[in-house]
Amino acid sequence: MTKQIWLNLPVKNVAKAKDFFWKIGFSFNQQHDTPTSTCMLVGEGHFVVMLFEETLFESFSQNKITDTQSSSEILISIDAESREEVDELIEKVKAAGGNVFAPPAESQGWMYGAAFADLDGHRWNVLYMDLSKIPQ
């Protein structure tokens, strides 16, 4: 049965995308770098997000890429260990040229999060959940 899952994202420029994600704290498996793709690792479990230049992505998806300026196909959510970590990541996103479309805020009394778009318009959500405050 299935042992792993990874996410494939189209990007306009692999080098620029890699630089952006490096600046906000993600790491990469250099063994899988090519001029048109890179392997980004997310979190302690090293969840794989492959970044492919758009023409390569279209060649194997056999579908047109979504216009991220006018529509969304996915919202990628990542966790944070604290409210401060949410704030720190959002500051890194701003410094690296990303677009914060939902600034850090509390939600439902037990969640604190924010959302941003990367250089290619893919939308990301970062969320800290204080499980001790969940209504019973």
Side-chain angles (χ1 to χ4, degrees):
M1 189 59 196
T2 301
K3 295 178 185 170
Q4 294 182 4
I5 183 172
W6 59 91
L7 181 67
N8 300 307
L9 288 178
V11 299
K12 289 177 182 23
N13 182 298
V14 168
K16 286 182 180 179
K18 185 175 179 180
D19 184 58
F20 171 81
F21 286 110
W22 183 263
K23 286 177 180 174
I24 69 169
F26 292 109
S27 61
F28 294 84
N29 182 341
Q30 306 291 343
Q31 292 176 320
H32 296 290
D33 270 6
T34 75
T36 57
S37 67
T38 191
C39 176
M40 183 168 69
L41 305 174
V42 180
E44 293 173 1
H46 294 140
F47 182 86
V48 173
V49 178
M50 293 296 298
L51 305 177
F52 292 100
E53 288 205 358
E54 290 177 343
T55 53
L56 180 58
F57 184 91
E58 282 182 334
S59 75
F60 59 77
S61 71
Q62 298 184 12
N63 212 349
K64 186 177 168 106
I65 294 171
T66 298
D67 177 2
T68 58
Q69 299 304 308
S70 63
S71 64
S72 295
E73 187 172 60
I74 189 170
L75 174 65
I76 305 160
S77 297
I78 56 176
D79 70 333
E81 293 185 23
S82 66
R83 294 170 65 106
E84 294 77 19
E85 191 173 286
V86 170
D87 294 340
E88 288 170 13
L89 179 64
I90 291 303
E91 289 306 313
K92 289 177 182 177
V93 165
K94 289 178 189 176
N99 173 35
V100 177
F101 64 86
E106 191 170 305
S107 176
Q108 302 177 35
W110 61 280
M111 292 185 287
Y112 182 79
F116 65 93
D118 63 29
L119 299 180
D120 291 282
H122 304 296
R123 292 180 173 248
W124 296 74
N125 179 48
V126 57
L127 189 63
Y128 166 66
M129 295 176 278
D130 186 343
L131 302 179
S132 69
K133 293 183 178 179
I134 295 178
Q136 298 301 321

PDB file of all heavy atoms in Angstrom, residues 100-127:
ATOM      1  N   VAL A 100       1.356  38.490   2.257  1.00  0.00           N
ATOM      2  CA  VAL A 100       0.543  38.083   3.403  1.00  0.00           C
ATOM      3  C   VAL A 100      -0.876  38.572   3.129  1.00  0.00           C
ATOM      4  O   VAL A 100      -1.142  39.763   3.152  1.00  0.00           O
ATOM      5  CB  VAL A 100       1.097  38.674   4.719  1.00  0.00           C
ATOM      6  CG1 VAL A 100       0.200  38.309   5.894  1.00  0.00           C
ATOM      7  CG2 VAL A 100       2.521  38.193   4.951  1.00  0.00           C
ATOM      8  N   PHE A 101      -1.790  37.641   2.850  1.00  0.00           N
ATOM      9  CA  PHE A 101      -3.158  38.046   2.547  1.00  0.00           C
ATOM     10  C   PHE A 101      -4.089  37.908   3.741  1.00  0.00           C
ATOM     11  O   PHE A 101      -5.206  38.414   3.715  1.00  0.00           O
ATOM     12  CB  PHE A 101      -3.718  37.316   1.311  1.00  0.00           C
ATOM     13  CG  PHE A 101      -3.860  35.829   1.459  1.00  0.00           C
ATOM     14  CD1 PHE A 101      -4.998  35.263   2.010  1.00  0.00           C
ATOM     15  CD2 PHE A 101      -2.852  34.993   1.012  1.00  0.00           C
ATOM     16  CE1 PHE A 101      -5.132  33.889   2.113  1.00  0.00           C
ATOM     17  CE2 PHE A 101      -2.977  33.613   1.110  1.00  0.00           C
ATOM     18  CZ  PHE A 101      -4.120  33.069   1.673  1.00  0.00           C
ATOM     19  N   ALA A 102      -3.633  37.263   4.797  1.00  0.00           N
ATOM     20  CA  ALA A 102      -4.390  37.185   6.052  1.00  0.00           C
ATOM     21  C   ALA A 102      -3.378  37.326   7.188  1.00  0.00           C
ATOM     22  O   ALA A 102      -2.667  36.379   7.513  1.00  0.00           O
ATOM     23  CB  ALA A 102      -5.152  35.871   6.161  1.00  0.00           C
ATOM     24  N   PRO A 103      -3.285  38.519   7.779  1.00  0.00           N
ATOM     25  CA  PRO A 103      -2.297  38.731   8.842  1.00  0.00           C
ATOM     26  C   PRO A 103      -2.606  37.890  10.073  1.00  0.00           C
ATOM     27  O   PRO A 103      -3.734  37.407  10.251  1.00  0.00           O
ATOM     28  CB  PRO A 103      -2.415  40.227   9.141  1.00  0.00           C
ATOM     29  CG  PRO A 103      -3.723  40.649   8.590  1.00  0.00           C
ATOM     30  CD  PRO A 103      -4.087  39.704   7.498  1.00  0.00           C
ATOM     31  N   PRO A 104      -1.617  37.692  10.942  1.00  0.00           N
ATOM     32  CA  PRO A 104      -1.825  36.877  12.137  1.00  0.00           C
ATOM     33  C   PRO A 104      -3.036  37.351  12.949  1.00  0.00           C
ATOM     34  O   PRO A 104      -3.206  38.546  13.180  1.00  0.00           O
ATOM     35  CB  PRO A 104      -0.532  37.067  12.930  1.00  0.00           C
ATOM     36  CG  PRO A 104       0.496  37.380  11.886  1.00  0.00           C
ATOM     37  CD  PRO A 104      -0.236  38.195  10.862  1.00  0.00           C
ATOM     38  N   ALA A 105      -3.848  36.374  13.351  1.00  0.00           N
ATOM     39  CA  ALA A 105      -5.045  36.684  14.128  1.00  0.00           C
ATOM     40  C   ALA A 105      -5.513  35.441  14.867  1.00  0.00           C
ATOM     41  O   ALA A 105      -5.214  34.316  14.463  1.00  0.00           O
ATOM     42  CB  ALA A 105      -6.163  37.185  13.218  1.00  0.00           C
ATOM     43  N   GLU A 106      -6.256  35.665  15.932  1.00  0.00           N
ATOM     44  CA  GLU A 106      -6.843  34.568  16.699  1.00  0.00           C
ATOM     45  C   GLU A 106      -8.154  34.162  16.056  1.00  0.00           C
ATOM     46  O   GLU A 106      -8.869  34.983  15.490  1.00  0.00           O
ATOM     47  CB  GLU A 106      -7.081  35.019  18.142  1.00  0.00           C
ATOM     48  CG  GLU A 106      -7.435  33.864  19.058  1.00  0.00           C
ATOM     49  CD  GLU A 106      -7.430  34.265  20.521  1.00  0.00           C
ATOM     50  OE1 GLU A 106      -6.400  34.782  20.984  1.00  0.00           O
ATOM     51  OE2 GLU A 106      -8.463  34.049  21.169  1.00  0.00           O
ATOM     52  N   SER A 107      -8.472  32.873  16.156  1.00  0.00           N
ATOM     53  CA  SER A 107      -9.715  32.348  15.597  1.00  0.00           C
ATOM     54  C   SER A 107     -10.320  31.350  16.566  1.00  0.00           C
ATOM     55  O   SER A 107      -9.618  30.450  17.050  1.00  0.00           O
ATOM     56  CB  SER A 107      -9.440  31.676  14.251  1.00  0.00           C
ATOM     57  OG  SER A 107     -10.602  31.081  13.736  1.00  0.00           O
ATOM     58  N   GLN A 108     -11.570  31.521  16.874  1.00  0.00           N
ATOM     59  CA  GLN A 108     -12.353  30.597  17.695  1.00  0.00           C
ATOM     60  C   GLN A 108     -11.804  30.425  19.106  1.00  0.00           C
ATOM     61  O   GLN A 108     -12.144  29.473  19.800  1.00  0.00           O
ATOM     62  CB  GLN A 108     -12.486  29.240  17.003  1.00  0.00           C
ATOM     63  CG  GLN A 108     -13.136  29.328  15.628  1.00  0.00           C
ATOM     64  CD  GLN A 108     -13.192  27.995  14.940  1.00  0.00           C
ATOM     65  OE1 GLN A 108     -13.364  26.952  15.578  1.00  0.00           O
ATOM     66  NE2 GLN A 108     -13.046  27.995  13.627  1.00  0.00           N
ATOM     67  N   GLY A 109     -10.925  31.302  19.535  1.00  0.00           N
ATOM     68  CA  GLY A 109     -10.413  31.265  20.896  1.00  0.00           C
ATOM     69  C   GLY A 109      -9.319  30.245  21.173  1.00  0.00           C
ATOM     70  O   GLY A 109      -8.750  30.230  22.252  1.00  0.00           O
ATOM     71  N   TRP A 110      -8.997  29.400  20.207  1.00  0.00           N
ATOM     72  CA  TRP A 110      -7.973  28.382  20.442  1.00  0.00           C
ATOM     73  C   TRP A 110      -6.983  28.221  19.281  1.00  0.00           C
ATOM     74  O   TRP A 110      -6.032  27.463  19.367  1.00  0.00           O
ATOM     75  CB  TRP A 110      -8.602  27.029  20.783  1.00  0.00           C
ATOM     76  CG  TRP A 110      -9.481  26.455  19.705  1.00  0.00           C
ATOM     77  CD1 TRP A 110     -10.777  26.789  19.428  1.00  0.00           C
ATOM     78  CD2 TRP A 110      -9.124  25.447  18.757  1.00  0.00           C
ATOM     79  NE1 TRP A 110     -11.231  26.060  18.360  1.00  0.00           N
ATOM     80  CE2 TRP A 110     -10.247  25.211  17.937  1.00  0.00           C
ATOM     81  CE3 TRP A 110      -7.965  24.708  18.526  1.00  0.00           C
ATOM     82  CZ2 TRP A 110     -10.246  24.285  16.906  1.00  0.00           C
ATOM     83  CZ3 TRP A 110      -7.964  23.777  17.498  1.00  0.00           C
ATOM     84  CH2 TRP A 110      -9.106  23.573  16.707  1.00  0.00           C
ATOM     85  N   MET A 111      -7.212  28.985  18.217  1.00  0.00           N
ATOM     86  CA  MET A 111      -6.291  28.927  17.081  1.00  0.00           C
ATOM     87  C   MET A 111      -5.725  30.317  16.811  1.00  0.00           C
ATOM     88  O   MET A 111      -6.386  31.324  17.041  1.00  0.00           O
ATOM     89  CB  MET A 111      -7.018  28.438  15.828  1.00  0.00           C
ATOM     90  CG  MET A 111      -7.446  26.998  15.910  1.00  0.00           C
ATOM     91  SD  MET A 111      -8.175  26.411  14.357  1.00  0.00           S
ATOM     92  CE  MET A 111      -9.765  27.247  14.383  1.00  0.00           C
ATOM     93  N   TYR A 112      -4.501  30.345  16.322  1.00  0.00           N
ATOM     94  CA  TYR A 112      -3.842  31.589  15.948  1.00  0.00           C
ATOM     95  C   TYR A 112      -3.102  31.303  14.653  1.00  0.00           C
ATOM     96  O   TYR A 112      -2.301  30.361  14.580  1.00  0.00           O
ATOM     97  CB  TYR A 112      -2.860  32.020  17.035  1.00  0.00           C
ATOM     98  CG  TYR A 112      -2.160  33.325  16.760  1.00  0.00           C
ATOM     99  CD1 TYR A 112      -2.800  34.540  16.982  1.00  0.00           C
ATOM    100  CD2 TYR A 112      -0.856  33.347  16.288  1.00  0.00           C
ATOM    101  CE1 TYR A 112      -2.153  35.748  16.740  1.00  0.00           C
ATOM    102  CE2 TYR A 112      -0.195  34.546  16.046  1.00  0.00           C
ATOM    103  CZ  TYR A 112      -0.850  35.742  16.270  1.00  0.00           C
ATOM    104  OH  TYR A 112      -0.207  36.946  16.037  1.00  0.00           O
ATOM    105  N   GLY A 113      -3.404  32.067  13.635  1.00  0.00           N
ATOM    106  CA  GLY A 113      -2.774  31.771  12.364  1.00  0.00           C
ATOM    107  C   GLY A 113      -2.720  32.951  11.429  1.00  0.00           C
ATOM    108  O   GLY A 113      -3.201  34.051  11.735  1.00  0.00           O
ATOM    109  N   ALA A 114      -2.138  32.704  10.281  1.00  0.00           N
ATOM    110  CA  ALA A 114      -1.991  33.698   9.232  1.00  0.00           C
ATOM    111  C   ALA A 114      -1.881  32.953   7.908  1.00  0.00           C
ATOM    112  O   ALA A 114      -1.684  31.736   7.880  1.00  0.00           O
ATOM    113  CB  ALA A 114      -0.748  34.542   9.468  1.00  0.00           C
ATOM    114  N   ALA A 115      -1.998  33.705   6.814  1.00  0.00           N
ATOM    115  CA  ALA A 115      -1.914  33.063   5.511  1.00  0.00           C
ATOM    116  C   ALA A 115      -1.142  33.961   4.547  1.00  0.00           C
ATOM    117  O   ALA A 115      -1.182  35.184   4.643  1.00  0.00           O
ATOM    118  CB  ALA A 115      -3.305  32.780   4.973  1.00  0.00           C
ATOM    119  N   PHE A 116      -0.421  33.305   3.635  1.00  0.00           N
ATOM    120  CA  PHE A 116       0.396  34.035   2.674  1.00  0.00           C
ATOM    121  C   PHE A 116       0.412  33.319   1.332  1.00  0.00           C
ATOM    122  O   PHE A 116       0.089  32.135   1.238  1.00  0.00           O
ATOM    123  CB  PHE A 116       1.830  34.208   3.191  1.00  0.00           C
ATOM    124  CG  PHE A 116       2.612  32.927   3.341  1.00  0.00           C
ATOM    125  CD1 PHE A 116       3.418  32.463   2.311  1.00  0.00           C
ATOM    126  CD2 PHE A 116       2.563  32.197   4.520  1.00  0.00           C
ATOM    127  CE1 PHE A 116       4.149  31.279   2.450  1.00  0.00           C
ATOM    128  CE2 PHE A 116       3.291  31.023   4.675  1.00  0.00           C
ATOM    129  CZ  PHE A 116       4.087  30.564   3.629  1.00  0.00           C
ATOM    130  N   ALA A 117       0.774  34.073   0.313  1.00  0.00           N
ATOM    131  CA  ALA A 117       0.994  33.506  -1.013  1.00  0.00           C
ATOM    132  C   ALA A 117       2.487  33.568  -1.302  1.00  0.00           C
ATOM    133  O   ALA A 117       3.142  34.573  -1.015  1.00  0.00           O
ATOM    134  CB  ALA A 117       0.212  34.288  -2.071  1.00  0.00           C
ATOM    135  N   ASP A 118       3.022  32.477  -1.849  1.00  0.00           N
ATOM    136  CA  ASP A 118       4.437  32.457  -2.220  1.00  0.00           C
ATOM    137  C   ASP A 118       4.642  33.245  -3.515  1.00  0.00           C
ATOM    138  O   ASP A 118       3.701  33.877  -4.021  1.00  0.00           O
ATOM    139  CB  ASP A 118       4.956  31.018  -2.311  1.00  0.00           C
ATOM    140  CG  ASP A 118       4.272  30.179  -3.384  1.00  0.00           C
ATOM    141  OD1 ASP A 118       3.810  30.738  -4.408  1.00  0.00           O
ATOM    142  OD2 ASP A 118       4.216  28.948  -3.216  1.00  0.00           O
ATOM    143  N   LEU A 119       5.824  33.228  -4.070  1.00  0.00           N
ATOM    144  CA  LEU A 119       6.132  34.019  -5.263  1.00  0.00           C
ATOM    145  C   LEU A 119       5.294  33.629  -6.469  1.00  0.00           C
ATOM    146  O   LEU A 119       5.085  34.438  -7.374  1.00  0.00           O
ATOM    147  CB  LEU A 119       7.615  33.900  -5.610  1.00  0.00           C
ATOM    148  CG  LEU A 119       8.606  34.381  -4.556  1.00  0.00           C
ATOM    149  CD1 LEU A 119      10.039  34.205  -5.057  1.00  0.00           C
ATOM    150  CD2 LEU A 119       8.339  35.827  -4.168  1.00  0.00           C
ATOM    151  N   ASP A 120       4.788  32.392  -6.490  1.00  0.00           N
ATOM    152  CA  ASP A 120       3.979  31.922  -7.605  1.00  0.00           C
ATOM    153  C   ASP A 120       2.486  31.961  -7.310  1.00  0.00           C
ATOM    154  O   ASP A 120       1.689  31.451  -8.092  1.00  0.00           O
ATOM    155  CB  ASP A 120       4.424  30.513  -8.012  1.00  0.00           C
ATOM    156  CG  ASP A 120       5.807  30.543  -8.630  1.00  0.00           C
ATOM    157  OD1 ASP A 120       5.912  30.924  -9.804  1.00  0.00           O
ATOM    158  OD2 ASP A 120       6.787  30.242  -7.910  1.00  0.00           O
ATOM    159  N   GLY A 121       2.116  32.540  -6.172  1.00  0.00           N
ATOM    160  CA  GLY A 121       0.706  32.699  -5.836  1.00  0.00           C
ATOM    161  C   GLY A 121       0.066  31.519  -5.133  1.00  0.00           C
ATOM    162  O   GLY A 121      -1.123  31.549  -4.846  1.00  0.00           O
ATOM    163  N   HIS A 122       0.841  30.460  -4.846  1.00  0.00           N
ATOM    164  CA  HIS A 122       0.285  29.331  -4.097  1.00  0.00           C
ATOM    165  C   HIS A 122       0.003  29.801  -2.679  1.00  0.00           C
ATOM    166  O   HIS A 122       0.817  30.495  -2.072  1.00  0.00           O
ATOM    167  CB  HIS A 122       1.252  28.144  -4.087  1.00  0.00           C
ATOM    168  CG  HIS A 122       1.638  27.689  -5.450  1.00  0.00           C
ATOM    169  ND1 HIS A 122       0.736  27.170  -6.351  1.00  0.00           N
ATOM    170  CD2 HIS A 122       2.827  27.703  -6.086  1.00  0.00           C
ATOM    171  CE1 HIS A 122       1.356  26.868  -7.475  1.00  0.00           C
ATOM    172  NE2 HIS A 122       2.626  27.184  -7.338  1.00  0.00           N
ATOM    173  N   ARG A 123      -1.136  29.417  -2.155  1.00  0.00           N
ATOM    174  CA  ARG A 123      -1.571  29.908  -0.850  1.00  0.00           C
ATOM    175  C   ARG A 123      -1.219  28.925   0.262  1.00  0.00           C
ATOM    176  O   ARG A 123      -1.445  27.722   0.140  1.00  0.00           O
ATOM    177  CB  ARG A 123      -3.062  30.211  -0.884  1.00  0.00           C
ATOM    178  CG  ARG A 123      -3.300  31.415  -1.788  1.00  0.00           C
ATOM    179  CD  ARG A 123      -4.738  31.808  -1.908  1.00  0.00           C
ATOM    180  NE  ARG A 123      -4.796  33.044  -2.657  1.00  0.00           N
ATOM    181  CZ  ARG A 123      -5.158  34.213  -2.154  1.00  0.00           C
ATOM    182  NH1 ARG A 123      -5.533  34.309  -0.899  1.00  0.00           N
ATOM    183  NH2 ARG A 123      -5.166  35.288  -2.903  1.00  0.00           N
ATOM    184  N   TRP A 124      -0.656  29.493   1.331  1.00  0.00           N
ATOM    185  CA  TRP A 124      -0.194  28.745   2.488  1.00  0.00           C
ATOM    186  C   TRP A 124      -0.858  29.301   3.739  1.00  0.00           C
ATOM    187  O   TRP A 124      -1.059  30.508   3.852  1.00  0.00           O
ATOM    188  CB  TRP A 124       1.318  28.880   2.637  1.00  0.00           C
ATOM    189  CG  TRP A 124       2.116  28.287   1.522  1.00  0.00           C
ATOM    190  CD1 TRP A 124       2.268  28.793   0.260  1.00  0.00           C
ATOM    191  CD2 TRP A 124       2.875  27.089   1.563  1.00  0.00           C
ATOM    192  NE1 TRP A 124       3.076  27.977  -0.484  1.00  0.00           N
ATOM    193  CE2 TRP A 124       3.472  26.920   0.298  1.00  0.00           C
ATOM    194  CE3 TRP A 124       3.119  26.132   2.552  1.00  0.00           C
ATOM    195  CZ2 TRP A 124       4.284  25.839  -0.006  1.00  0.00           C
ATOM    196  CZ3 TRP A 124       3.942  25.064   2.251  1.00  0.00           C
ATOM    197  CH2 TRP A 124       4.507  24.925   0.984  1.00  0.00           C
ATOM    198  N   ASN A 125      -1.174  28.438   4.675  1.00  0.00           N
ATOM    199  CA  ASN A 125      -1.761  28.801   5.955  1.00  0.00           C
ATOM    200  C   ASN A 125      -0.844  28.256   7.050  1.00  0.00           C
ATOM    201  O   ASN A 125      -0.454  27.093   7.001  1.00  0.00           O
ATOM    202  CB  ASN A 125      -3.153  28.158   6.049  1.00  0.00           C
ATOM    203  CG  ASN A 125      -3.852  28.435   7.339  1.00  0.00           C
ATOM    204  OD1 ASN A 125      -3.910  29.564   7.796  1.00  0.00           O
ATOM    205  ND2 ASN A 125      -4.413  27.398   7.937  1.00  0.00           N
ATOM    206  N   VAL A 126      -0.472  29.090   7.998  1.00  0.00           N
ATOM    207  CA  VAL A 126       0.317  28.630   9.140  1.00  0.00           C
ATOM    208  C   VAL A 126      -0.546  28.806  10.373  1.00  0.00           C
ATOM    209  O   VAL A 126      -1.172  29.848  10.565  1.00  0.00           O
ATOM    210  CB  VAL A 126       1.679  29.351   9.257  1.00  0.00           C
ATOM    211  CG1 VAL A 126       1.519  30.852   9.356  1.00  0.00           C
ATOM    212  CG2 VAL A 126       2.486  28.813  10.424  1.00  0.00           C
ATOM    213  N   LEU A 127      -0.618  27.766  11.216  1.00  0.00           N
ATOM    214  CA  LEU A 127      -1.582  27.750  12.298  1.00  0.00           C
ATOM    215  C   LEU A 127      -0.994  27.158  13.575  1.00  0.00           C
ATOM    216  O   LEU A 127      -0.396  26.083  13.553  1.00  0.00           O
ATOM    217  CB  LEU A 127      -2.794  26.915  11.867  1.00  0.00           C
ATOM    218  CG  LEU A 127      -4.024  26.924  12.732  1.00  0.00           C
ATOM    219  CD1 LEU A 127      -4.628  28.323  12.818  1.00  0.00           C
ATOM    220  CD2 LEU A 127      -5.049  25.950  12.172  1.00  0.00           C
TER     221      LEU A 127
END
